[in-house]
Amino acid sequence: NRAFKALTRGILFQCISVMCGRKLTQRLYDHCGGEDKYTPQAVMALSTEKLGTMKKNCKPDELNNVGMNGAKISSLRLLAQAFIDGEISVAKMEKMSTYDICTQLSKMKGIGEWTVGTFLLHTLHRPDVLLYGDLNVRRGISDLYGLHDDTRELSVTDLAMAEDFGDTPHTRDMIDKVAEKWRPYRSVVNMLMWHVTETPDAFFAVE
């Protein structure tokens, strides 16, 4: 169930704070009988009302609804059904190329590029995944190598509203030129860039 949980979090955490995402996830687990019993079948057994948000003048038994909006409910049900039908499975993915996995998961409603990337990195442990859409990865590489996208000034609002955290084709091209020498182990770069951006004294030359 680790893969299903990871993709579930990708859906639930969209457009909300980390704290809200954690609370939403925990409520979903609780309604399924706990995290260890969280399965696609358990999700499909929950009613839309139970998964949804509280309404005005709600009944006492509706006070503990999970609190998902309609889009998240729809995406989660489609994901659960795909696992049940065997359309998505770790066994199949282990035999698939990274490109094919990206193509398959990106077709799923509610699953974006960043979610697919983190899934490949943290769940499937693919060694050559670079998270272009991660702000700290871009910022770390940009600061270390002096890469700057002079074609467009991105404000914090722009970055927050952008579909994949505000990255542009131009910045991707620049990052590709730097990251090419790190193939086929670019997954390590994400970890290094997170460390660089979160630790002011951690700047170093990445050879």
Side-chain angles (χ1 to χ4, degrees), residues 82-136:
F83 270 89
I84 291 172
D85 294 341
E87 180 182 343
I88 297 177
S89 74
V90 173
K92 286 184 177 180
M93 289 181 179
E94 288 177 347
K95 301 176 182 179
M96 295 169 62
S97 68
T98 296
Y99 177 83
D100 288 339
I101 294 173
C102 289
T103 301
Q104 181 189 44
L105 293 181
S106 296
K107 293 178 180 178
M108 296 294 300
K109 180 181 178 182
I111 297 180
E113 180 181 319
W114 190 84
T115 298
V116 174
T118 56
F119 177 76
L120 287 165
L121 182 65
H122 297 298
T123 304
L124 298 184
H125 305 297
R126 291 295 172 108
D128 194 31
V129 178
L130 186 60
L131 300 179
Y132 293 95
D134 189 283
L135 178 58
N136 284 334

Side-chain angles (χ1 to χ4, degrees), residues 136-159:
N136 284 334
V137 171
R138 293 201 320 279
R139 181 180 292 164
I141 292 176
S142 176
D143 289 345
L144 281 172
Y145 289 92
L147 304 179
H148 298 285
D149 187 353
D150 297 326
T151 63
R152 177 170 177 251
E153 289 295 329
L154 293 174
S155 67
V156 174
T157 302
D158 289 328
L159 290 171

Side-chain angles (χ1 to χ4, degrees), residues 16-79:
I16 60 177
S17 68
V18 172
M19 183 179 294
C20 288
R22 287 173 178 168
K23 289 181 178 179
L24 194 63
T25 303
Q26 189 57 56
R27 285 202 297 268
L28 179 58
Y29 287 162
D30 291 343
H31 278 287
C32 291
E35 183 175 354
D36 59 329
K37 296 182 179 179
Y38 181 72
T39 63
Q41 291 80 1
V43 168
M44 297 302 288
L46 294 175
S47 67
T48 300
E49 291 72 20
K50 186 59 68 176
L51 288 169
T53 57
M54 292 179 292
K55 300 177 181 178
K56 291 182 179 179
N57 303 318
C58 62
K59 300 176 183 178
D61 63 347
E62 295 177 337
L63 290 173
N64 293 320
N65 284 0
V66 176
M68 298 167 59
N69 61 32
K72 282 183 169 59
I73 293 173
S74 176
S75 297
L76 183 59
R77 286 189 178 282
L78 288 172
L79 177 67

